Amino acid sequence: MRLSTSASVFTSVMLLLSIGLFGCNKSADTALGEPTDDAAKTTAEADVEVEVEETGAPSPATLEDTASEESPGEAPTSEQPAAEETDEATDEAAPVATEKVALGDPSLTAGIPGEGELTIAQIEAWLADDKNHVVIDPELPLGLSLGADEIKIPADNPMTRAKIELGRQLYFDPRMSVDGTISCASCHDPEHGFAAPTQFGVGIGEQVGNRNSPTAYNRIFSEAQFWDGRAASLEEQAIGPIANPIEMGNEHDVCVDVVAKIPGYKLQFERIFPDEAVTIENIGKAIATFERAIVTGPSPYDYAEQLRPFEQFEDEDLADLQEDSPEVFARYQELLENAAANPLNDSARRGRDLFFGQKANCSACHVGANLTDEKYHNLGVGMDQENPDLGRYVVTNKEEDKGAFKTPTIRNVAMTPPYMHDGSQETLLDVVEHYAKGGTPNKNLSDKIKPIDLTEQEKLDLVAFMEACTGPLPPVETERLPE
């Protein structure tokens, strides 16, 4: 089959399919969130002829298989030992059993089966099931899957179902606080997008902190934690609030003693961490593992983005696609159905173009699969106060970091008001207004922050797009804890 100018867009889609744009994992730096309009237009207008083999495009299932194959010259995996290996290799430890599991699977966060408080018998039965101790090789949902290469899981803290469940219990257990009133979920509540609706976090004795509670979802992409990045890992972050006098107000050794005296916890720690059992480090590992299992599902934006390569197709192109590659056409029909069930309205479409375009340029910082660069920027928020929060500077002591805070994800951001590190922006429209005016002037203001001449409708369009980046969160059991 020979394709000329009128079918060049068709050829482009075939190439995109062959690299797995429609569902396979891909680097966050080269996929979701990257403006492709100019490139698509260039392809559509190019006066060229392209030779295409008669074999047609692979089916989606084949694409998934192809994406996981090793390229020539790659080192063999544990499933394919090198031909040169000798008998000496048999002395090495056997490969750890792993299981591919889609994060967002309700079974990961639904808790140990049963009702009421967790009993010893239920916990023992759960721990006796070997499947719950198999190391999870996580797969990400649509949209986030484009950032599979950005997953951050420490080598010494692999994910298992049993560890996720232990972390879930600890996350919702107020007994870890000094007075038994505050849990992780008090400030990172599933009902509020794993954040809190208050301007600042509220801890024991109704004490109020000085920063807004950041969300706990999609943390699988992040190493440094907190608005200022002072915790080097999710494990370190998980245990920080336990000893914070304003938050949970406990001491680490006291918390460990409390947890160790609860029989259900003692059983689980001895099975999951057999060499150390209950330690503050292992408490952090369990909570961090649970948090890594909390990811946002596909949003209307993600479903619409899958269809973008088809947008310039004419009826004749679609007819050719149906005739020449029925598997690909069937996939196209599936994408249409998904997008229709999760529609991206016209305002959000315009907002999408603004967000990734040069005018608003939100993607200068909100980029990649999780729509954040995980870096620190001074937006001027709060810098007009008499004693402003200096943010990242307190950690690094670098002048350029004064007033800089970590870029939050745009995913599900509509669920987590108020906004900014100080909770000073009540709505997403307030946030857009702050950017439109060019932030708050100060000597360390990011060079990415400049006034943007937006119409009132354009501001609303940006809000509509951010709202359209909302996907389902996995259901989580919040009540069942050890007796």
Side-chain angles (χ1 to χ4, degrees):
M1 180 173 68
R2 191 175 185 82
L3 302 177
S4 58
T5 305
S6 64
S8 60
V9 177
F10 172 87
T11 306
S12 299
V13 170
M14 300 300 239
L15 293 172
L16 291 169
L17 280 164
S18 71
I19 62 174
L21 180 60
F22 305 117
C24 298
N25 292 342
K26 191 179 178 186
S27 170
D29 294 331
T30 58
L32 190 64
E34 292 295 326
T36 57
D37 297 346
D38 292 342
K41 183 177 180 182
T42 301
T43 303
E45 295 176 348
D47 186 13
V48 297
E49 292 188 344
V50 183
E51 292 287 341
V52 180
E53 292 185 0
E54 291 290 344
T55 55
S59 68
T62 305
L63 289 172
E64 292 287 356
D65 293 340
T66 302
S68 64
E69 289 178 359
E70 293 180 334
S71 301
E74 283 186 344
T77 64
S78 58
E79 287 78 12
Q80 289 182 302
E84 298 83 16
E85 284 184 349
T86 66
D87 291 340
E88 292 179 3
T90 60
D91 295 332
E92 298 177 359
V96 175
T98 62
E99 172 192 17
K100 284 190 176 294
V101 178
L103 297 186
D105 180 343
S107 69
L108 293 176
T109 52
I112 295 174
E115 296 181 359
E117 289 187 332
L118 284 172
T119 66
I120 293 298
Q122 290 170 337
I123 293 172
E124 287 177 335
W126 169 261
L127 294 174
D129 188 344
D130 289 340
K131 179 181 179 181
N132 294 324
H133 304 284
V134 173
V135 172
I136 289 173
D137 181 6
E139 295 183 331
L140 297 167
L142 174 66
L144 289 183
S145 62
L146 299 173
D149 292 343
E150 306 302 317
I151 285 177
K152 306 291 193 302
I153 302 177
D156 66 346
N157 193 27
M159 298 179 73
T160 67
R161 291 176 182 270
K163 198 185 297 179
I164 291 171
E165 169 58 11
L166 174 57
R168 181 201 67 79
Q169 296 165 30
L170 294 166
Y171 185 93
F172 291 100
D173 200 332
R175 290 174 289 186
M176 291 202 301
S177 67
V178 71
D179 61 1
T181 63
I182 299 294
S183 71
C184 302
S186 298
C187 292
H188 307 280
D189 187 347
E191 293 297 317
H192 297 285
F194 287 88
T198 54
Q199 179 176 7
F200 302 118
V202 180
I204 58 169
E206 300 298 318
Q207 295 183 89
V208 178
N210 65 342
R211 288 182 182 167
N212 183 249
S213 302
T215 184
Y217 58 70
N218 292 354
R219 293 299 81 209
I220 195 168
F221 292 110
S222 184
E223 288 180 323
Q225 305 292 324
F226 293 117
W227 281 105
D228 55 14
R230 66 183 182 275
S233 68
L234 195 54
E235 286 75 7
E236 183 179 333
Q237 181 279 325
I239 62 176
I242 296 173
N244 187 308
I246 293 178
E247 297 183 62
M248 299 171 80
N250 213 339
E251 296 179 8
H252 283 162
D253 58 348
V254 174
C255 176
V256 168
D257 186 57
V258 169
V259 171
K261 287 179 178 177
I262 298 172
Y265 279 138
K266 185 173 184 292
L267 273 175
Q268 292 177 82
F269 274 94
E270 288 175 348
R271 178 66 176 82
I272 297 168
F273 302 100
D275 296 331
E276 300 169 317
V278 185
T279 66
I280 194 61
E281 290 77 19
N282 289 340
I283 286 174
K285 286 182 177 181
I287 295 174
T289 299
F290 166 71
E291 290 180 322
R292 290 192 178 99
I294 305 300
V295 295
T296 52
S299 67
Y301 161 59
D302 297 311
Y303 289 114
E305 204 71 6
Q306 285 193 304
L307 278 173
R308 288 186 69 80
F310 292 96
E311 287 183 352
Q312 297 187 50
F313 266 40
E314 299 177 358
D315 290 345
E316 181 181 353
D317 298 321
L318 292 173
D320 288 343
L321 182 66
Q322 184 174 15
E323 178 181 353
D324 298 329
S325 296
E327 299 93 343
V328 177
F329 185 79
R331 175 60 173 154
Y332 164 63
Q333 292 291 100
E334 181 184 351
L335 298 180
L336 277 177
E337 293 176 4
N338 290 340
N342 301 272
L344 188 72
N345 64 37
D346 289 342
S347 178
R349 289 180 183 277
R350 294 192 299 268
R352 183 264 182 211
D353 293 340
L354 281 166
F355 191 96
F356 295 114
Q358 290 302 309
K359 183 173 184 178
N361 198 26
C362 307
S363 57
C365 301
H366 295 284
V367 68
N370 196 31
L371 298 178
T372 169
D373 60 6
E374 292 286 340
K375 295 179 181 178
Y376 308 86
H377 305 280
N378 179 320
L379 313 179
V381 175
M383 292 303 288
D384 54 352
Q385 302 297 314
E386 183 177 352
N387 295 299
D389 187 339
L390 297 181
R392 184 65 174 164
Y393 171 80
V394 178
V395 179
T396 66
N397 206 34
K398 294 180 179 179
E399 180 67 23
E400 62 268 27
D401 286 336
K402 282 186 176 178
F405 295 87
K406 180 181 277 196
T407 306
T409 176
I410 293 300
R411 289 193 176 273
N412 286 45
V413 69
M415 299 179 68
T416 63
Y419 303 104
M420 302 299 189
H421 71 274
D422 62 355
S424 59
Q425 313 292 318
E426 294 185 3
T427 69
L428 287 174
L429 184 57
D430 290 337
V431 173
V432 173
E433 294 282 8
H434 178 81
Y435 282 106
K437 73 177 185 179
T440 302
N442 69 94
K443 68 176 183 179
N444 292 109
L445 186 68
S446 170
D447 59 7
K448 299 178 186 295
I449 305 301
K450 303 180 185 300
I452 310 170
D453 184 17
L454 296 173
T455 67
E456 293 305 309
Q457 184 58 56
E458 287 175 326
K459 294 173 184 177
L460 294 175
D461 291 343
L462 281 169
V463 171
F465 170 70
M466 289 188 282
E467 292 173 341
C469 291
T470 303
L473 288 166
V476 178
E477 170 59 53
T478 63
E479 301 293 333
R480 302 199 73 217
L481 304 176
E483 297 174 317

